[in-house]
């Protein structure tokens, strides 16, 4: 009981401060993007669902590319929401003093890695292992 092994590699709150700023900036930027994507994807659905045939595209090719574009926006939106959840979780980990420790092995995540992906929860070794697992 007592010491939590999983947070041995964690950064202190003051060490994590620059990443806190980055995460907050990233979060607000992504929220803006997400609203924009959701808006443009849903607007299109709404006008199609309204059944206003006079506004429907005539050529099949147009319909195809329209659907593709909508699907693309929604996929992008889903990916952004996953990232947003990771950002929120990273912010919570800074708050609880666990930030910077790999959730898999507890090792300290290198600053160069956090600079590139401030919301990552895995060190480079665990991340590449997980990558291989999901691929195989
Ligand atoms: Zn690890």
């Amino acid at each position: 009981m007592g010491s939590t092994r999983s947070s041995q590699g964690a950064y202190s709150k003051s060490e994590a401060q620059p990443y806190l700023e980055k995460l907050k900036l990233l979060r607000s930027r992504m929220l803006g993007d997400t609203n924009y994507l959701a808006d443009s994807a849903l607007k299109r659905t709404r006008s199609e669902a309204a059944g206003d045939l006079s506004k429907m595209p005539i050529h099949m090719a147009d319909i195809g590319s329209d659907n593709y574009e909508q699907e693309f926006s929604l996929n992008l939106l889903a990916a952004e929401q996953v990232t947003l959840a990771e950002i929120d979780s990273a912010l919570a980990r800074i708050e609880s003093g666990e930030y910077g420790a790999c959730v898999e092995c507890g090792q300290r995540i290198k600053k160069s890695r956090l600079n590139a992906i401030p919301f990552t929860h895995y060190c480079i070794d665990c991340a590449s292992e997980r990558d291989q697992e999901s691929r195989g």
Side-chain angles (χ1 to χ4, degrees):
M1 285 282 205
S3 66
T4 45
R5 213 165 57 90
S6 66
S7 62
Q8 67 181 6
Y11 291 96
S12 71
K13 270 193 193 180
S14 62
E15 277 178 309
Q17 189 62 32
Y19 305 109
L20 179 76
E21 302 294 329
K22 270 191 186 215
L23 285 162
K24 280 185 175 170
L25 195 71
L26 207 57
R27 191 176 187 279
S28 61
R29 200 182 294 165
M30 287 196 70
L31 280 174
D33 280 1
T34 304
N35 288 341
Y36 167 74
L37 284 172
D39 215 43
S40 65
L42 292 177
K43 236 182 239 160
R44 204 164 285 159
T45 312
R46 234 178 275 136
S47 70
E48 275 170 22
D52 189 349
L53 290 173
S54 66
K55 279 183 188 161
M56 292 288 271
I58 297 159
H59 303 293
M60 287 307 286
D62 284 349
I63 298 172
S65 72
D66 227 39
N67 283 346
Y68 171 77
E69 209 176 289
Q70 184 178 328
E71 207 170 285
F72 180 74
S73 293
L74 289 174
N75 283 345
L76 208 60
L77 186 63
E80 293 218 335
Q81 274 166 350
V82 170
T83 306
L84 263 178
E86 285 180 337
I87 291 173
D88 279 346
S89 155
L91 286 168
R93 285 165 63 78
I94 290 177
E95 201 52 47
S96 62
E98 295 167 291
Y99 182 75
C102 173
V103 296
E104 189 75 29
C105 67
Q107 294 293 311
R108 170 164 287 205
I109 301 168
K110 284 196 176 118
K111 283 190 176 178
S112 57
R113 179 164 165 77
L114 290 176
N115 278 323
I117 321 168
F119 49 83
T120 189
H121 291 165
Y122 297 96
C123 70
I124 192 96
D125 291 340
C126 293
S128 63
E129 250 172 56
R130 284 169 61 86
D131 239 32
Q132 277 163 13
E133 269 172 32
S134 64
R135 248 178 248 153

